[in-house]
Amino acid sequence: MSAIEGNVEELPDLLNVIKNYSDNPSAFLALNTGNSFFTQPGIEGIISYRRSGSYLVQIGGAFAPADQQSELLAKFKQYAAKEKRKIVAIQLQSEDLDLYSAEGFTVNQVGASYAVNLGSFTLKGSKFMQLRNKISRATRAGLVVAEVPYEDWRLRMHSVDSSWLKSKGKNTKPLEFLVGECGGSFQERRRLFVGVIDGELVGYISYSPVYGRRSGWLHDLSRKISGGPPGIMEAINRQAISAFQAEAVPWLHFGFTPFTGLKEECEPVGYSKWFRWVVGQLSVRGDFVYPSKTQLAYKHKWEPEASSEYIAFSDGASIIGFLNVFRAANAL
């Protein structure tokens, strides 16, 4: 068994593993700069994780052929034990539940991911009236949206990032791990749409590829300047949707939002009842940990479908393990 930290060039098949064996809308985040990768000789697969405290914080499932996932996860547990660490895995899908339960993990629902079927999506109708109005306001303010190369806009994006962070408060740090990035080894696989008013960049959305049964694009990292007109992000996303639909892209994913979409019937066998209560409390008052309400309000504008996402603990549900997920994400 081996773990490779910090240098994805040592794993030339890394992208192919995600393309061939992921069925998770956020799987591309496993390739973020700063992640480590666990591999096992004889298995064409990886587990992506970060170290935080006494935990290895895994994102997504065991990305490997179905008949090798169990062995890869078991070897990862052995590796964690050798390192005297526990494992907490975040953003597991319903298809991962049996695998992790069989390996002795305690699994609980922790939130949901959201997606729109672009084959049938339209902004027509009364339910989208407010959304159309916001887009119109941005357009009337002079907003022009275009798909652009990242390198040509990188420096201007940094300026928008600074404005966005200042608007969130002086102690706000940019989220990592549970969101994507701009730049890094796989930037050429992403798509970037920007909004400009009077020649100035006022907002952007980066889209990451999604593989598997509901392939398409993930509405990933997004930023806008403070004090801009309403509807900037909505107008950028609408332009991207038009481009994706013209290409017959099946799905637009909006990604994972913790503490949302919680349903008791979605809890797996053997879930922790006390941990479910904690997540339920965070769904009401958890914005100090993660900006779930703001994210969900934006996603709901597009009338998406929701799918449950899960967290798994190798040594029983743990508040410390849970907090280390958000430490790894730079949220704490």
Side-chain angles (χ1 to χ4, degrees), residues 269-282:
V269 174
Y271 75 95
S272 167
K273 293 183 179 180
W274 73 261
F275 187 77
R276 173 174 172 75
W277 178 87
V278 169
V279 175
Q281 293 300 303
L282 288 170

Side-chain angles (χ1 to χ4, degrees), residues 23-82:
D23 199 19
N24 183 321
S26 296
F28 200 78
L29 306 188
L31 307 181
N32 278 358
T33 303
N35 290 1
S36 300
F37 306 98
F38 177 83
T39 64
Q40 175 67 20
I43 297 178
E44 188 184 2
I46 62 162
I47 286 176
S48 179
Y49 67 95
R50 290 192 180 189
R51 298 171 182 271
S52 182
S54 59
Y55 279 80
L56 302 181
V57 183
Q58 176 189 343
I59 186 166
F63 300 121
D67 62 350
Q68 296 181 326
Q69 290 175 356
S70 180
E71 181 181 0
L72 182 61
L73 182 58
K75 293 296 185 182
F76 185 52
K77 285 186 66 180
Q78 292 177 19
Y79 173 75
K82 183 180 178 181

Side-chain angles (χ1 to χ4, degrees), residues 62-216:
F63 300 121
D67 62 350
Q68 296 181 326
Q69 290 175 356
S70 180
E71 181 181 0
L72 182 61
L73 182 58
K75 293 296 185 182
F76 185 52
K77 285 186 66 180
Q78 292 177 19
Y79 173 75
K82 183 180 178 181
E83 294 283 307
K84 294 182 171 56
R85 296 174 186 265
K86 302 174 184 178
I87 299 169
V88 55
I90 190 71
Q91 289 197 247
L92 299 182
Q93 308 297 296
S94 58
E95 293 79 10
D96 297 316
L97 300 184
D98 290 344
L99 171 66
Y100 280 77
S101 295
E103 287 296 328
F105 284 75
T106 299
V107 185
N108 273 65
Q109 187 188 9
V110 72
S113 59
Y114 299 85
V116 168
N117 185 335
L118 295 183
S120 57
F121 179 77
T122 175
L123 278 182
K124 296 178 180 179
S126 59
K127 65 182 178 180
F128 290 116
M129 182 176 64
Q130 290 185 344
L131 181 55
R132 293 197 304 270
N133 288 341
K134 290 197 74 173
I135 293 172
S136 295
R137 290 182 66 181
T139 302
R140 290 196 301 270
L143 183 74
V144 177
V145 180
E147 184 173 7
V148 300
Y150 167 71
E151 284 300 328
D152 293 351
W153 290 78
R154 177 173 53 87
L155 295 179
R156 281 172 281 188
M157 291 166 65
H158 289 170
S159 178
V160 171
D161 293 345
S162 296
S163 173
W164 178 84
L165 276 175
K166 288 179 182 177
S167 72
K168 300 297 180 181
K170 64 178 182 179
N171 295 320
T172 302
K173 298 179 291 184
L175 293 174
E176 301 176 0
F177 193 56
L178 299 181
V179 299
E181 63 183 1
C182 290
S185 299
F186 299 99
Q187 176 59 39
E188 75 279 359
R189 298 286 175 168
R190 302 185 185 95
R191 297 175 71 168
L192 176 65
F193 286 77
V194 300
V196 175
I197 296 178
D198 296 330
E200 296 294 326
L201 180 65
V202 295
Y204 68 84
I205 303 176
S206 173
Y207 296 85
S208 296
V210 175
Y211 307 105
R213 288 173 295 173
R214 298 208 296 177
S215 63

Side-chain angles (χ1 to χ4, degrees), residues 94 97 107-111 261-271 276 306-310:
S94 58
L97 300 184
V107 185
N108 273 65
Q109 187 188 9
V110 72
L262 303 174
K263 298 178 181 178
E264 189 165 3
E265 61 267 26
C266 293
E267 294 287 3
V269 174
Y271 75 95
R276 173 174 172 75
S307 301
S308 297
E309 297 214 356
Y310 297 86

